[in-house]
Amino acid sequence: MSAATVRTGRGERGDADGTRGDVELRIDGSKPLTMESVAAVDAACTVAESTKATTMLAVHLTGTPGKDWTHGLEVALVSKWERSLRRLERLTVTTVAVASGDCGGLALDALLAADYRIATPDVRLSLYVDGEATWPGMAIFRLAQQAGGTRLRRAILFGAHLDATESVDLGIVDEVTNDPTMALTAAAEMVSGLSGREVAVRRQLMFDAPTTSFEDALGRHLAACDRALRRSAGPGAR
C-alpha cells in the first residue's frame, strides 16, 4: 500500500469536476517513498485546485520510518517528492495538517509544508536517523526556516524527538487537541470565506520576507494591496 493516498467526496482519487469540496490526503510516514506517494500528493493538489467548492485540503499524518526506510531509494525519486511537496506548499487552497503519534519521514515533510498544523497530545516529531546521521532532506531546511536552526540543534543534528508542547512552543504546530475532527471543522470554518488564490499571495509574501530587503518587498506588498483594493471595489474598478 502506498505511503500516501488521496480521497475526495466521490471516493478515492475521485473526479475533479468542480462539484465537491471535500478533499483529503493521508500520508503514512512509516512507509517507503514511492512514485505512488508522489502521484497521490499531485492528485490531491490537482483535485483541490480544480474543484470550485474546495477551500481546504486536509492532510492526515502519522507514522515514522523504520531502519531500512532509505533502502533502494534514489535521488531522482527524492527530487520528485520534494517537487510535489513544493506544489502542496504553494497550493491555491489552504492546507490543514493533522498529525498524531510518532510522525517522521514523509509525514513530517508534509506537516512542514502545510499552512495550519493540528496535533494530538501524543504526537512526536522527529527526523529519520539512518545510523550515521539524520536524513538531510528539505525537512531540515523547513525546520530551520520556520523555527530557527539554533533552537532545533538536537532535533536536526541528532534526531531528538519533539513532543506536542515543544512543537507548539517552536511554532511548528499551531494547536494540540484531543478532538482533531472538531479542530478540522473549526479550521474549515476559519478559511471558508477566504480566497485560496489570495491566501497563496499572502503566503508567498510571508515566505519571501526573511530574505527580501524592505525596498524590494515594498513593491510586492503595494502590488498586493492594489490588487486587494481593486477586488473590494468590484469588477468595474479592475
Side-chain angles (χ1 to χ4, degrees):
M1 186 175 182
S2 172
T5 57
V6 56
R7 295 181 184 276
T8 73
R10 292 183 176 271
E12 189 164 327
R13 297 299 289 268
D15 295 326
D17 63 356
T19 62
R20 297 299 297 267
D22 43 338
V23 185
E24 67 177 24
L25 176 67
R26 293 185 177 272
I27 296 179
D28 184 348
S30 69
K31 295 185 180 297
L33 174 60
T34 63
M35 274 305 302
E36 286 76 15
S37 310
V38 175
V41 173
D42 282 335
C45 292
T46 297
V47 172
E49 290 193 317
S50 60
T51 305
K52 296 178 182 178
T54 300
T55 57
M56 186 184 82
L57 169 61
V59 187
H60 298 270
L61 309 166
T62 192
T64 196
K67 63 179 181 179
D68 296 326
W69 184 71
T70 57
H71 181 71
L73 190 58
E74 297 181 352
V75 171
L77 179 56
V78 175
S79 177
K80 289 182 174 65
W81 171 248
E82 296 292 0
R83 285 200 295 272
S84 70
L85 285 177
R86 187 58 168 164
R87 183 181 178 189
L88 181 70
E89 191 172 41
R90 303 174 106 176
L91 204 61
T92 55
V93 170
T94 301
T95 51
V96 179
V98 180
S100 60
D102 287 337
C103 191
L106 308 185
L108 178 62
D109 286 343
L111 175 72
L112 297 175
D115 292 319
Y116 193 77
R117 295 94 180 262
I118 300 165
T120 54
D122 65 343
V123 78
R124 290 202 315 165
L125 309 181
S126 62
L127 291 167
Y128 170 71
V129 179
D130 66 0
E132 294 186 340
T134 53
W135 175 246
M138 288 297 286
I140 290 178
F141 173 83
R142 290 188 174 93
L143 282 169
Q145 186 183 59
Q146 296 172 19
T150 56
R151 300 183 66 191
L152 286 165
R153 274 195 299 263
R154 290 190 308 118
I156 291 174
L157 299 180
F158 312 120
H161 295 90
L162 298 171
D163 63 21
T165 300
E166 291 172 312
S167 299
V168 171
D169 289 344
L170 290 164
I172 299 169
V173 166
D174 294 294
E175 68 170 295
V176 176
T177 178
N178 285 305
D179 191 345
T181 300
M182 184 68 72
L184 264 179
T185 299
E189 293 174 353
M190 176 178 68
V191 305
S192 62
L194 301 178
S195 161
R197 292 189 181 279
E198 291 304 307
V199 169
V201 170
R202 276 60 170 178
R203 183 197 298 133
Q204 193 59 49
L205 291 173
M206 179 180 67
F207 285 165
D208 292 343
T211 58
T212 306
S213 68
F214 175 86
E215 290 74 16
D216 289 339
L218 179 60
R220 300 176 192 177
H221 282 262
L222 288 176
C225 289
D226 180 64
R227 176 182 171 87
L229 290 171
R230 289 177 180 273
R231 285 173 61 85
S232 64
R238 295 177 190 174

